Amino acid sequence: MKTLILLLWLLLPSTLAAAVVHTNNAQNTGDGGGVTSASFSLAVTAGNPLITCGVLNNNAVVPDTVTFNSVAMTMVTSVNAGAAENLSLWRLAGQSGTATVQADFSTSVSVSIGCDAFTGADQTTPVGTASTGTDWTSPVSITAPANGLAYNVVGSRIDVSCTALTAGDGQTKHVDVCLDVSPEYFYVGSGSRSTSGAMGWTMLNGGYYFQIGVPLNASADVAVRRRIINP
Amino acid sequence: MKAILFWLSLLGVAYAAAGGGGTITLPAKSYAPGTYTIPEITLSANFSTFQINLNRTNFTDPGTKVSIMMDLSGDAGKTWVNNACGFSTVGDPATTTKPNVVTCYCTKQNGCDGSSAANKMRGTAVITGQAVTLAGSIVAQ
Protein backbone atom coordinates (compact mmCIF):
# COMPACT_ATOMS: atom_id res chain seq x y z
CA MET A 1 0.00 0.00 0.00
CA LYS A 2 2.79 2.40 0.92
CA THR A 3 4.48 1.66 -2.39
CA LEU A 4 1.27 2.42 -4.26
CA ILE A 5 0.87 5.78 -2.49
CA LEU A 6 4.45 6.66 -3.24
CA LEU A 7 3.98 5.81 -6.91
CA LEU A 8 0.84 7.94 -7.10
CA TRP A 9 2.71 10.93 -5.65
CA LEU A 10 5.51 10.45 -8.14
CA LEU A 11 2.97 10.60 -10.96
CA LEU A 12 1.66 13.96 -9.76
CA PRO A 13 2.82 17.10 -11.60
CA SER A 14 6.13 18.34 -10.30
CA THR A 15 4.51 21.46 -8.86
CA LEU A 16 1.25 22.05 -7.05
CA ALA A 17 -0.13 25.53 -7.64
CA ALA A 18 -1.78 27.51 -4.84
CA ALA A 19 -4.60 29.85 -5.73
CA VAL A 20 -4.28 33.58 -5.24
CA VAL A 21 -6.80 34.70 -2.62
CA HIS A 22 -7.71 38.24 -1.62
CA THR A 23 -7.50 38.52 2.17
CA ASN A 24 -7.77 42.18 3.08
CA ASN A 25 -7.75 45.82 2.02
CA ALA A 26 -7.26 49.26 3.59
CA GLN A 27 -7.36 52.84 2.45
CA ASN A 28 -6.54 56.46 3.25
CA THR A 29 -7.31 59.91 1.89
CA GLY A 30 -5.49 63.16 2.50
CA ASP A 31 -6.51 66.55 1.21
CA GLY A 32 -6.94 70.22 2.00
CA GLY A 33 -3.69 72.10 1.87
CA GLY A 34 -2.03 69.01 0.49
CA VAL A 35 0.13 66.32 2.01
CA THR A 36 3.64 65.13 1.25
CA SER A 37 3.02 61.74 2.83
CA ALA A 38 0.04 59.65 3.86
CA SER A 39 0.08 56.49 5.95
CA PHE A 40 -2.24 53.88 7.40
CA SER A 41 -2.06 50.32 8.72
CA LEU A 42 -2.64 47.15 6.69
CA ALA A 43 -2.81 43.56 7.90
CA VAL A 44 -1.25 41.04 5.53
CA THR A 45 -1.74 37.29 5.98
CA ALA A 46 1.31 35.05 5.63
CA GLY A 47 1.49 32.37 2.92
CA ASN A 48 3.07 33.66 -0.27
CA PRO A 49 1.75 37.16 0.43
CA LEU A 50 1.34 39.96 -2.06
CA ILE A 51 0.43 43.60 -1.41
CA THR A 52 -0.87 45.89 -4.15
CA CYS A 53 -1.59 49.60 -3.76
CA GLY A 54 -3.30 52.05 -6.10
CA VAL A 55 -2.35 55.70 -5.53
CA LEU A 56 -4.23 58.61 -7.12
CA ASN A 57 -3.05 62.20 -6.74
CA ASN A 58 -4.05 65.52 -8.22
CA ASN A 59 -0.61 66.88 -9.07
CA ALA A 60 0.51 64.65 -11.95
CA VAL A 61 3.36 63.21 -9.92
CA VAL A 62 4.34 59.64 -9.22
CA PRO A 63 5.00 58.97 -5.51
CA ASP A 64 8.69 59.01 -4.64
CA THR A 65 8.20 55.86 -2.61
CA VAL A 66 5.46 53.61 -1.31
CA THR A 67 6.51 51.38 1.58
CA PHE A 68 5.06 48.64 3.77
CA ASN A 69 6.75 48.25 7.13
CA SER A 70 9.51 50.53 5.71
CA VAL A 71 10.17 48.03 2.89
CA ALA A 72 10.01 49.70 -0.53
CA MET A 73 7.30 48.58 -2.90
CA THR A 74 7.89 48.37 -6.65
CA MET A 75 5.88 50.50 -9.02
CA VAL A 76 4.20 48.39 -11.69
CA THR A 77 3.20 51.35 -13.87
CA SER A 78 1.47 54.72 -13.75
CA VAL A 79 -0.86 56.62 -16.00
CA ASN A 80 -1.65 60.31 -16.39
CA ALA A 81 -4.90 61.63 -17.72
CA GLY A 82 -7.03 64.70 -17.40
CA ALA A 83 -5.69 67.97 -16.14
CA ALA A 84 -3.28 66.82 -13.46
CA GLU A 85 -4.22 63.43 -12.09
CA ASN A 86 -1.89 60.45 -11.83
CA LEU A 87 -2.75 56.86 -10.93
CA SER A 88 0.05 54.44 -10.07
CA LEU A 89 0.02 50.77 -9.08
CA TRP A 90 2.57 49.36 -6.62
CA ARG A 91 3.32 45.82 -5.49
CA LEU A 92 5.34 43.97 -2.86
CA ALA A 93 5.71 40.23 -2.26
CA GLY A 94 7.19 38.43 0.71
CA GLN A 95 5.99 40.72 3.52
CA SER A 96 3.28 39.88 6.05
CA GLY A 97 1.98 41.07 9.43
CA THR A 98 0.26 44.29 10.44
CA ALA A 99 2.31 47.34 9.54
CA THR A 100 2.16 50.80 8.05
CA VAL A 101 1.74 51.59 4.38
CA GLN A 102 3.22 54.99 3.58
CA ALA A 103 3.31 56.96 0.33
CA ASP A 104 5.76 59.85 0.05
CA PHE A 105 5.61 62.63 -2.51
CA SER A 106 8.09 65.26 -3.67
CA THR A 107 5.37 67.90 -3.62
CA SER A 108 2.05 68.57 -1.92
CA VAL A 109 -0.84 66.55 -3.28
CA SER A 110 -4.38 65.56 -2.55
CA VAL A 111 -4.30 61.79 -2.51
CA SER A 112 -6.46 58.68 -2.31
CA ILE A 113 -4.76 55.34 -1.63
CA GLY A 114 -6.18 51.84 -1.55
CA CYS A 115 -4.20 48.66 -0.85
CA ASP A 116 -5.07 44.97 -1.16
CA ALA A 117 -3.44 41.94 0.45
CA PHE A 118 -3.38 38.49 -1.14
CA THR A 119 -2.05 35.05 -0.31
CA GLY A 120 -0.94 32.31 -2.69
CA ALA A 121 0.96 34.66 -5.00
CA ASP A 122 4.09 33.87 -6.97
CA GLN A 123 6.90 35.44 -4.96
CA THR A 124 9.29 35.87 -7.88
CA THR A 125 6.96 37.23 -10.55
CA PRO A 126 3.82 38.18 -8.66
CA VAL A 127 2.27 40.27 -11.42
CA GLY A 128 2.23 40.01 -15.20
CA THR A 129 2.25 42.71 -17.85
CA ALA A 130 0.10 45.72 -17.04
CA SER A 131 -2.60 47.19 -19.25
CA THR A 132 -3.79 50.76 -18.85
CA GLY A 133 -6.81 52.73 -19.91
CA THR A 134 -7.81 56.37 -19.78
CA ASP A 135 -11.07 56.17 -21.66
CA TRP A 136 -14.32 56.09 -19.77
CA THR A 137 -15.90 53.69 -22.25
CA SER A 138 -13.00 51.27 -22.76
CA PRO A 139 -12.33 48.76 -19.97
CA VAL A 140 -8.93 47.07 -19.81
CA SER A 141 -8.62 43.45 -20.84
CA ILE A 142 -6.72 41.16 -18.48
CA THR A 143 -5.90 37.48 -18.80
CA ALA A 144 -6.28 35.63 -15.50
CA PRO A 145 -3.39 33.17 -15.04
CA ALA A 146 -4.03 29.59 -13.96
CA ASN A 147 -5.00 29.72 -10.26
CA GLY A 148 -4.34 33.47 -10.36
CA LEU A 149 -6.54 36.53 -10.59
CA ALA A 150 -7.23 39.30 -13.05
CA TYR A 151 -6.85 42.44 -10.93
CA ASN A 152 -7.36 46.10 -11.61
CA VAL A 153 -7.34 49.47 -9.91
CA VAL A 154 -9.41 52.38 -11.06
CA GLY A 155 -8.88 56.06 -10.33
CA SER A 156 -11.11 58.94 -11.21
CA ARG A 157 -11.60 62.61 -10.64
CA ILE A 158 -15.28 63.39 -10.71
CA ASP A 159 -16.90 66.79 -10.41
CA VAL A 160 -20.23 65.56 -9.05
CA SER A 161 -19.97 63.85 -5.65
CA CYS A 162 -18.58 60.85 -3.80
CA THR A 163 -20.74 57.85 -4.65
CA ALA A 164 -19.96 54.17 -4.22
CA LEU A 165 -18.19 52.54 -7.15
CA THR A 166 -19.76 49.57 -8.87
CA ALA A 167 -17.37 46.89 -10.11
CA GLY A 168 -18.45 45.62 -13.50
CA ASP A 169 -17.91 42.49 -15.55
CA GLY A 170 -18.24 39.99 -12.72
CA GLN A 171 -15.36 41.25 -10.59
CA THR A 172 -15.38 41.50 -6.80
CA LYS A 173 -14.82 44.99 -5.45
CA HIS A 174 -12.17 45.39 -2.77
CA VAL A 175 -11.15 49.03 -2.27
CA ASP A 176 -13.67 51.86 -2.62
CA VAL A 177 -12.43 55.19 -1.29
CA CYS A 178 -13.27 58.75 -2.26
CA LEU A 179 -11.61 61.98 -1.25
CA ASP A 180 -14.06 64.87 -0.97
CA VAL A 181 -12.38 68.12 -1.96
CA SER A 182 -15.59 69.70 -3.15
CA PRO A 183 -16.16 70.55 -5.97
CA GLU A 184 -13.71 67.78 -6.92
CA TYR A 185 -13.82 64.17 -5.80
CA PHE A 186 -10.98 61.65 -6.17
CA TYR A 187 -11.81 57.97 -6.31
CA VAL A 188 -9.69 54.84 -6.04
CA GLY A 189 -11.20 51.39 -6.40
CA SER A 190 -9.86 47.90 -6.91
CA GLY A 191 -11.33 44.59 -7.91
CA SER A 192 -10.44 41.11 -9.06
CA ARG A 193 -11.87 37.97 -10.57
CA SER A 194 -10.62 34.57 -11.68
CA THR A 195 -11.70 34.81 -15.32
CA SER A 196 -10.12 36.64 -18.27
CA GLY A 197 -11.50 39.46 -20.36
CA ALA A 198 -12.57 43.07 -20.11
CA MET A 199 -12.74 44.64 -16.65
CA GLY A 200 -14.68 47.86 -16.18
CA TRP A 201 -16.45 49.99 -13.59
CA THR A 202 -19.66 51.93 -13.32
CA MET A 203 -19.36 55.31 -11.69
CA LEU A 204 -20.61 58.83 -12.01
CA ASN A 205 -19.57 60.49 -15.22
CA GLY A 206 -18.23 63.97 -15.58
CA GLY A 207 -14.52 63.77 -14.95
CA TYR A 208 -11.38 61.85 -15.74
CA TYR A 209 -10.96 58.12 -15.59
CA PHE A 210 -7.89 55.88 -15.30
CA GLN A 211 -7.44 52.17 -14.97
CA ILE A 212 -4.50 49.80 -14.54
CA GLY A 213 -4.96 46.05 -14.83
CA VAL A 214 -2.53 43.21 -14.18
CA PRO A 215 -2.60 39.43 -13.90
CA LEU A 216 -1.72 38.17 -10.41
CA ASN A 217 0.33 35.00 -10.72
CA ALA A 218 -0.15 32.03 -8.39
CA SER A 219 2.67 30.47 -6.46
CA ALA A 220 3.97 27.08 -7.52
CA ASP A 221 4.08 25.28 -4.20
CA VAL A 222 6.67 22.49 -4.49
CA ALA A 223 7.00 22.03 -0.76
CA VAL A 224 4.06 19.66 -0.34
CA ARG A 225 5.43 16.91 -2.56
CA ARG A 226 8.96 17.26 -1.23
CA ARG A 227 7.79 16.85 2.33
CA ILE A 228 6.02 13.62 1.52
CA ILE A 229 8.75 12.05 -0.58
CA ASN A 230 11.53 13.13 1.77
CA PRO A 231 9.89 13.35 5.18
CA MET B 1 -39.01 48.25 16.85
CA LYS B 2 -39.26 50.72 13.99
CA ALA B 3 -42.58 51.93 15.34
CA ILE B 4 -41.07 52.51 18.78
CA LEU B 5 -38.23 54.50 17.29
CA PHE B 6 -40.70 56.50 15.22
CA TRP B 7 -42.73 57.48 18.29
CA LEU B 8 -39.61 58.27 20.23
CA SER B 9 -38.56 60.58 17.43
CA LEU B 10 -41.91 62.35 17.59
CA LEU B 11 -41.32 62.91 21.28
CA GLY B 12 -37.97 64.45 20.52
CA VAL B 13 -36.04 61.61 22.05
CA ALA B 14 -32.67 60.90 20.46
CA TYR B 15 -32.68 57.23 19.63
CA ALA B 16 -29.86 56.89 17.17
CA ALA B 17 -27.02 54.72 18.31
CA ALA B 18 -24.63 56.96 20.14
CA GLY B 19 -21.58 57.71 18.05
CA GLY B 20 -18.51 56.32 19.71
CA GLY B 21 -14.85 57.25 19.51
CA GLY B 22 -13.26 60.33 20.96
CA THR B 23 -11.24 63.44 20.17
CA ILE B 24 -7.74 64.58 20.96
CA THR B 25 -7.36 68.32 20.57
CA LEU B 26 -4.06 69.75 19.45
CA PRO B 27 -3.87 73.05 21.36
CA ALA B 28 -3.59 76.21 19.30
CA LYS B 29 -0.17 77.64 20.03
CA SER B 30 3.26 78.20 18.60
CA TYR B 31 5.23 74.97 18.27
CA ALA B 32 9.01 75.08 18.05
CA PRO B 33 10.77 72.45 15.92
CA GLY B 34 10.82 69.14 17.75
CA THR B 35 8.81 66.05 18.59
CA TYR B 36 5.61 66.31 20.59
CA THR B 37 3.77 63.48 22.30
CA ILE B 38 0.03 63.65 21.90
CA PRO B 39 -1.44 62.11 25.08
CA GLU B 40 -3.51 58.96 24.80
CA ILE B 41 -7.24 58.83 25.33
CA THR B 42 -9.68 55.96 25.72
CA LEU B 43 -12.18 55.62 22.89
CA SER B 44 -15.78 54.71 23.49
CA ALA B 45 -17.21 51.87 21.43
CA ASN B 46 -18.75 52.23 17.99
CA PHE B 47 -16.51 54.21 15.67
CA SER B 48 -15.33 53.45 12.18
CA THR B 49 -12.95 56.17 11.02
CA PHE B 50 -10.04 58.27 12.18
CA GLN B 51 -9.67 61.81 10.98
CA ILE B 52 -6.67 64.03 11.52
CA ASN B 53 -7.42 67.73 11.08
CA LEU B 54 -4.86 70.52 10.88
CA ASN B 55 -5.61 74.22 10.72
CA ARG B 56 -3.15 75.78 8.26
CA THR B 57 -4.01 79.44 8.85
CA ASN B 58 -0.49 80.35 9.95
CA PHE B 59 1.34 77.60 8.11
CA THR B 60 3.02 79.57 5.33
CA ASP B 61 6.70 78.59 5.39
CA PRO B 62 7.51 75.99 2.70
CA GLY B 63 10.64 75.11 4.65
CA THR B 64 8.63 73.94 7.63
CA LYS B 65 7.23 70.43 7.73
CA VAL B 66 4.64 68.99 10.09
CA SER B 67 4.08 65.26 10.51
CA ILE B 68 1.24 63.89 12.62
CA MET B 69 0.97 60.18 13.30
CA MET B 70 -1.75 58.42 15.25
CA ASP B 71 -1.15 55.17 17.13
CA LEU B 72 -3.94 52.75 18.02
CA SER B 73 -4.26 50.19 20.79
CA GLY B 74 -7.02 47.61 20.77
CA ASP B 75 -6.13 46.15 24.17
CA ALA B 76 -6.45 49.16 26.45
CA GLY B 77 -2.88 50.28 25.92
CA LYS B 78 -0.95 47.03 26.39
CA THR B 79 0.20 46.97 22.76
CA TRP B 80 0.13 49.64 20.07
CA VAL B 81 -0.03 49.78 16.29
CA ASN B 82 2.19 52.72 15.52
CA ASN B 83 1.34 55.12 12.71
CA ALA B 84 -2.06 53.56 12.11
CA CYS B 85 -2.99 56.82 10.43
CA GLY B 86 -0.81 59.77 9.58
CA PHE B 87 0.43 62.38 7.17
CA SER B 88 3.10 64.97 6.53
CA THR B 89 2.65 68.41 5.06
CA VAL B 90 4.67 71.55 4.36
CA GLY B 91 3.74 75.21 4.71
CA ASP B 92 2.22 77.03 1.77
CA PRO B 93 0.93 80.62 1.70
CA ALA B 94 -1.59 79.61 -0.96
CA THR B 95 -3.35 77.03 1.20
CA THR B 96 -3.85 78.80 4.51
CA THR B 97 -7.61 78.60 4.10
CA LYS B 98 -7.57 74.87 3.33
CA PRO B 99 -7.21 72.73 6.43
CA ASN B 100 -5.74 69.27 6.12
CA VAL B 101 -8.31 66.53 6.62
CA VAL B 102 -6.80 63.05 6.49
CA THR B 103 -9.10 60.05 6.90
CA CYS B 104 -8.24 56.43 7.73
CA TYR B 105 -10.60 53.55 8.35
CA CYS B 106 -11.03 51.20 11.30
CA THR B 107 -11.71 47.63 10.17
CA LYS B 108 -11.47 44.33 11.99
CA GLN B 109 -9.45 42.91 9.10
CA ASN B 110 -6.77 45.45 9.90
CA GLY B 111 -6.80 44.79 13.61
CA CYS B 112 -9.13 47.62 14.57
CA ASP B 113 -12.39 46.67 16.27
CA GLY B 114 -14.42 49.86 16.53
CA SER B 115 -17.17 48.07 18.44
CA SER B 116 -14.84 47.45 21.38
CA ALA B 117 -14.49 49.71 24.40
CA ALA B 118 -10.85 48.70 24.82
CA ASN B 119 -9.45 51.04 22.17
CA LYS B 120 -7.07 53.86 22.90
CA MET B 121 -5.37 56.30 20.58
CA ARG B 122 -2.43 58.59 20.96
CA GLY B 123 -0.18 60.46 18.62
CA THR B 124 3.09 62.09 17.79
CA ALA B 125 3.69 65.39 16.03
CA VAL B 126 7.06 66.20 14.52
CA ILE B 127 7.93 69.72 13.37
CA THR B 128 11.02 70.54 11.38
CA GLY B 129 12.10 73.93 10.06
CA GLN B 130 10.75 76.99 11.84
CA ALA B 131 8.37 77.47 14.75
CA VAL B 132 4.78 77.57 13.58
CA THR B 133 1.41 78.30 15.13
CA LEU B 134 -0.91 75.36 14.64
CA ALA B 135 -4.16 73.89 15.86
CA GLY B 136 -5.88 70.65 15.11
CA SER B 137 -7.49 67.47 16.28
CA ILE B 138 -7.49 63.71 15.94
CA VAL B 139 -11.02 62.36 15.88
CA ALA B 140 -12.24 58.78 16.06
CA GLN B 141 -15.91 58.63 15.10
Side-chain angles (χ1 to χ4, degrees):
Chain A
M1 185 61 182
K2 287 182 179 177
T3 305
L4 179 60
I5 292 173
L6 177 61
L7 285 172
L8 286 172
W9 273 107
L10 290 173
L11 290 173
L12 283 174
S14 59
T15 59
L16 297 173
V20 178
V21 177
H22 179 267
T23 58
N24 195 16
N25 54 266
Q27 52 219 15
N28 169 296
T29 62
D31 74 302
V35 299
T36 55
S37 77
S39 54
F40 55 100
S41 61
L42 174 70
V44 182
T45 303
N48 293 316
L50 172 65
I51 306 165
T52 57
C53 294
V55 184
L56 177 73
N57 75 83
N58 71 335
N59 215 357
V61 295
V62 171
D64 287 352
T65 58
V66 179
T67 59
F68 173 76
N69 198 21
S70 300
V71 178
M73 300 182 72
T74 300
M75 191 176 76
V76 177
T77 191
S78 74
V79 58
N80 283 318
E85 289 75 29
N86 176 275
L87 175 69
S88 56
L89 174 62
W90 300 72
R91 54 95 170 166
L92 177 66
Q95 298 291 319
S96 60
T98 298
T100 301
V101 172
Q102 179 164 320
D104 288 287
F105 298 87
S106 60
T107 188
S108 292
V109 298
S110 292
V111 62
S112 291
I113 308 172
C115 296
D116 290 301
F118 300 88
T119 57
D122 187 306
Q123 298 296 284
T124 305
T125 311
V127 304
T129 303
S131 300
T132 62
T134 57
D135 184 341
W136 170 262
T137 59
S138 300
V140 296
S141 184
I142 303 296
T143 299
N147 298 305
L149 293 173
Y151 171 79
N152 79 110
V153 295
V154 62
S156 183
R157 193 205 83 192
I158 302 290
D159 301 334
V160 182
S161 67
C162 280
T163 304
L165 300 170
T166 301
D169 303 316
Q171 57 181 318
T172 301
K173 182 173 75 173
H174 306 312
V175 167
D176 184 349
V177 62
C178 180
L179 168 62
D180 180 347
V181 197
S182 179
E184 297 177 339
Y185 307 87
F186 297 94
Y187 287 91
V188 167
S190 71
S192 65
R193 68 177 189 207
S194 58
T195 56
S196 302
M199 301 180 80
W201 293 78
T202 301
M203 63 180 72
L204 293 170
N205 209 336
Y208 298 102
Y209 174 84
F210 326 72
Q211 198 177 181
I212 300 172
V214 289
L216 303 185
N217 298 320
S219 66
D221 190 349
V222 298
V224 175
R225 184 177 161 190
R226 284 177 181 161
R227 275 200 301 270
I228 293 173
I229 293 177
N230 301 306
Chain B
M1 183 61 184
K2 285 183 179 177
I4 294 172
L5 296 177
F6 173 74
W7 287 108
L8 284 174
S9 70
L10 290 183
L11 294 170
V13 176
Y15 62 83
T23 299
I24 300 175
T25 299
L26 310 179
K29 66 176 187 177
S30 178
Y31 291 86
T35 299
Y36 297 84
T37 298
I38 300 170
E40 70 184 51
I41 63 168
T42 298
L43 303 176
S44 58
N46 298 318
F47 63 92
S48 59
T49 63
F50 302 102
Q51 199 169 75
I52 306 176
N53 304 280
L54 184 67
N55 184 319
R56 301 177 60 92
T57 302
N58 299 297
F59 194 23
T60 58
D61 176 19
T64 298
K65 181 178 181 179
V66 175
S67 299
I68 299 176
M69 289 151 284
M70 187 216 78
D71 304 334
L72 176 70
S73 172
D75 55 11
K78 293 175 185 171
T79 60
W80 291 86
V81 176
N82 294 321
N83 202 4
C85 186
F87 74 106
S88 297
T89 184
V90 294
D92 183 350
T95 60
T96 54
T97 61
K98 299 178 180 178
N100 284 110
V101 182
V102 171
T103 304
C104 300
Y105 299 82
C106 170
T107 64
K108 289 184 179 179
Q109 294 95 328
N110 285 307
C112 177
D113 181 0
S115 67
S116 164
N119 289 294
K120 288 175 176 278
M121 70 175 182
R122 66 185 184 190
T124 304
V126 179
I127 296 168
T128 58
Q130 303 298 315
V132 58
T133 298
L134 296 171
S137 62
I138 304 175
V139 181
Q141 60 188 2

mmCIF file of all heavy atoms in Angstrom, chain A residues 31-52:
data_model
loop_
_atom_site.group_PDB
_atom_site.id
_atom_site.type_symbol
_atom_site.label_atom_id
_atom_site.label_comp_id
_atom_site.label_asym_id
_atom_site.label_seq_id
_atom_site.Cartn_x
_atom_site.Cartn_y
_atom_site.Cartn_z
ATOM 1 N N ASP A 31 -6.144 65.469 2.116
ATOM 2 C CA ASP A 31 -6.511 66.549 1.210
ATOM 3 C C ASP A 31 -6.207 67.903 1.816
ATOM 4 O O ASP A 31 -5.274 68.056 2.574
ATOM 5 C CB ASP A 31 -7.999 66.454 0.885
ATOM 6 C CG ASP A 31 -8.858 66.902 2.053
ATOM 7 O OD1 ASP A 31 -8.725 66.315 3.126
ATOM 8 O OD2 ASP A 31 -9.609 67.865 1.896
ATOM 9 N N GLY A 32 -7.063 68.883 1.481
ATOM 10 C CA GLY A 32 -6.936 70.225 1.997
ATOM 11 C C GLY A 32 -5.728 70.928 1.439
ATOM 12 O O GLY A 32 -5.557 71.035 0.243
ATOM 13 N N GLY A 33 -4.872 71.389 2.311
ATOM 14 C CA GLY A 33 -3.692 72.101 1.867
ATOM 15 C C GLY A 33 -2.675 71.205 1.224
ATOM 16 O O GLY A 33 -1.619 71.662 0.788
ATOM 17 N N GLY A 34 -2.951 69.936 1.130
ATOM 18 C CA GLY A 34 -2.029 69.012 0.488
ATOM 19 C C GLY A 34 -1.155 68.308 1.500
ATOM 20 O O GLY A 34 -0.882 68.818 2.588
ATOM 21 N N VAL A 35 -0.745 67.106 1.147
ATOM 22 C CA VAL A 35 0.133 66.323 2.007
ATOM 23 C C VAL A 35 1.349 65.886 1.209
ATOM 24 O O VAL A 35 1.303 65.770 -0.013
ATOM 25 C CB VAL A 35 -0.582 65.076 2.583
ATOM 26 C CG1 VAL A 35 -1.782 65.485 3.422
ATOM 27 C CG2 VAL A 35 -1.016 64.121 1.475
ATOM 28 N N THR A 36 2.445 65.680 1.901
ATOM 29 C CA THR A 36 3.637 65.132 1.255
ATOM 30 C C THR A 36 3.836 63.668 1.619
ATOM 31 O O THR A 36 4.701 63.012 1.056
ATOM 32 C CB THR A 36 4.891 65.927 1.637
ATOM 33 O OG1 THR A 36 4.997 65.971 3.065
ATOM 34 C CG2 THR A 36 4.825 67.339 1.077
ATOM 35 N N SER A 37 3.055 63.174 2.566
ATOM 36 C CA SER A 37 3.022 61.744 2.830
ATOM 37 C C SER A 37 1.668 61.395 3.435
ATOM 38 O O SER A 37 1.009 62.246 4.038
ATOM 39 C CB SER A 37 4.149 61.300 3.768
ATOM 40 O OG SER A 37 3.842 61.637 5.104
ATOM 41 N N ALA A 38 1.268 60.160 3.250
ATOM 42 C CA ALA A 38 0.041 59.651 3.862
ATOM 43 C C ALA A 38 0.298 58.223 4.270
ATOM 44 O O ALA A 38 0.969 57.473 3.546
ATOM 45 C CB ALA A 38 -1.127 59.729 2.878
ATOM 46 N N SER A 39 -0.217 57.830 5.441
ATOM 47 C CA SER A 39 0.080 56.488 5.954
ATOM 48 C C SER A 39 -1.124 55.909 6.672
ATOM 49 O O SER A 39 -1.986 56.648 7.166
ATOM 50 C CB SER A 39 1.293 56.531 6.885
ATOM 51 O OG SER A 39 1.098 57.487 7.909
ATOM 52 N N PHE A 40 -1.159 54.602 6.728
ATOM 53 C CA PHE A 40 -2.239 53.876 7.402
ATOM 54 C C PHE A 40 -1.779 52.439 7.581
ATOM 55 O O PHE A 40 -0.808 52.002 6.975
ATOM 56 C CB PHE A 40 -3.538 53.930 6.599
ATOM 57 C CG PHE A 40 -3.402 53.447 5.180
ATOM 58 C CD1 PHE A 40 -3.799 52.174 4.834
ATOM 59 C CD2 PHE A 40 -2.878 54.266 4.204
ATOM 60 C CE1 PHE A 40 -3.670 51.713 3.526
ATOM 61 C CE2 PHE A 40 -2.740 53.826 2.895
ATOM 62 C CZ PHE A 40 -3.134 52.551 2.555
ATOM 63 N N SER A 41 -2.490 51.690 8.434
ATOM 64 C CA SER A 41 -2.059 50.325 8.718
ATOM 65 C C SER A 41 -2.794 49.321 7.829
ATOM 66 O O SER A 41 -3.948 49.527 7.447
ATOM 67 C CB SER A 41 -2.275 49.986 10.192
ATOM 68 O OG SER A 41 -3.634 50.067 10.521
ATOM 69 N N LEU A 42 -2.094 48.226 7.530
ATOM 70 C CA LEU A 42 -2.637 47.152 6.693
ATOM 71 C C LEU A 42 -2.193 45.828 7.291
ATOM 72 O O LEU A 42 -1.021 45.655 7.627
ATOM 73 C CB LEU A 42 -2.107 47.280 5.263
ATOM 74 C CG LEU A 42 -2.467 46.147 4.292
ATOM 75 C CD1 LEU A 42 -3.956 46.185 3.954
ATOM 76 C CD2 LEU A 42 -1.634 46.240 3.018
ATOM 77 N N ALA A 43 -3.138 44.904 7.423
ATOM 78 C CA ALA A 43 -2.814 43.557 7.904
ATOM 79 C C ALA A 43 -2.668 42.626 6.709
ATOM 80 O O ALA A 43 -3.552 42.571 5.856
ATOM 81 C CB ALA A 43 -3.912 43.047 8.839
ATOM 82 N N VAL A 44 -1.550 41.924 6.660
ATOM 83 C CA VAL A 44 -1.254 41.040 5.535
ATOM 84 C C VAL A 44 -1.050 39.625 6.068
ATOM 85 O O VAL A 44 -0.209 39.387 6.940
ATOM 86 C CB VAL A 44 0.023 41.500 4.788
ATOM 87 C CG1 VAL A 44 0.293 40.601 3.584
ATOM 88 C CG2 VAL A 44 -0.110 42.955 4.362
ATOM 89 N N THR A 45 -1.818 38.689 5.545
ATOM 90 C CA THR A 45 -1.744 37.293 5.978
ATOM 91 C C THR A 45 -0.524 36.612 5.348
ATOM 92 O O THR A 45 -0.212 36.835 4.180
ATOM 93 C CB THR A 45 -3.023 36.551 5.551
ATOM 94 O OG1 THR A 45 -4.143 37.240 6.117
ATOM 95 C CG2 THR A 45 -3.018 35.108 6.024
ATOM 96 N N ALA A 46 0.143 35.782 6.136
ATOM 97 C CA ALA A 46 1.305 35.048 5.631
ATOM 98 C C ALA A 46 0.849 33.930 4.689
ATOM 99 O O ALA A 46 -0.305 33.502 4.733
ATOM 100 C CB ALA A 46 2.096 34.462 6.797
ATOM 101 N N GLY A 47 1.788 33.434 3.878
ATOM 102 C CA GLY A 47 1.488 32.367 2.922
ATOM 103 C C GLY A 47 1.608 32.879 1.503
ATOM 104 O O GLY A 47 0.603 33.118 0.844
ATOM 105 N N ASN A 48 2.822 33.072 1.050
ATOM 106 C CA ASN A 48 3.072 33.664 -0.272
ATOM 107 C C ASN A 48 2.285 34.959 -0.450
ATOM 108 O O ASN A 48 1.454 35.099 -1.351
ATOM 109 C CB ASN A 48 2.742 32.667 -1.382
ATOM 110 C CG ASN A 48 3.683 31.485 -1.384
ATOM 111 O OD1 ASN A 48 4.898 31.648 -1.240
ATOM 112 N ND2 ASN A 48 3.146 30.281 -1.519
ATOM 113 N N PRO A 49 2.550 35.928 0.428
ATOM 114 C CA PRO A 49 1.754 37.155 0.431
ATOM 115 C C PRO A 49 2.115 38.112 -0.704
ATOM 116 O O PRO A 49 3.251 38.140 -1.180
ATOM 117 C CB PRO A 49 2.106 37.785 1.784
ATOM 118 C CG PRO A 49 3.502 37.333 2.040
ATOM 119 C CD PRO A 49 3.590 35.937 1.473
ATOM 120 N N LEU A 50 1.143 38.895 -1.072
ATOM 121 C CA LEU A 50 1.337 39.959 -2.063
ATOM 122 C C LEU A 50 0.507 41.160 -1.635
ATOM 123 O O LEU A 50 -0.667 41.013 -1.275
ATOM 124 C CB LEU A 50 0.909 39.503 -3.455
ATOM 125 C CG LEU A 50 0.889 40.587 -4.545
ATOM 126 C CD1 LEU A 50 2.296 41.106 -4.828
ATOM 127 C CD2 LEU A 50 0.240 40.065 -5.826
ATOM 128 N N ILE A 51 1.113 42.347 -1.685
ATOM 129 C CA ILE A 51 0.426 43.604 -1.409
ATOM 130 C C ILE A 51 0.394 44.404 -2.699
ATOM 131 O O ILE A 51 1.416 44.518 -3.393
ATOM 132 C CB ILE A 51 1.150 44.425 -0.323
ATOM 133 C CG1 ILE A 51 1.349 43.595 0.937
ATOM 134 C CG2 ILE A 51 0.398 45.708 -0.015
ATOM 135 C CD1 ILE A 51 2.359 44.207 1.907
ATOM 136 N N THR A 52 -0.768 44.969 -3.020
ATOM 137 C CA THR A 52 -0.874 45.889 -4.151
ATOM 138 C C THR A 52 -1.516 47.178 -3.666
ATOM 139 O O THR A 52 -2.420 47.148 -2.832
ATOM 140 C CB THR A 52 -1.738 45.297 -5.279
ATOM 141 O OG1 THR A 52 -3.012 44.971 -4.756
ATOM 142 C CG2 THR A 52 -1.087 44.054 -5.877
#
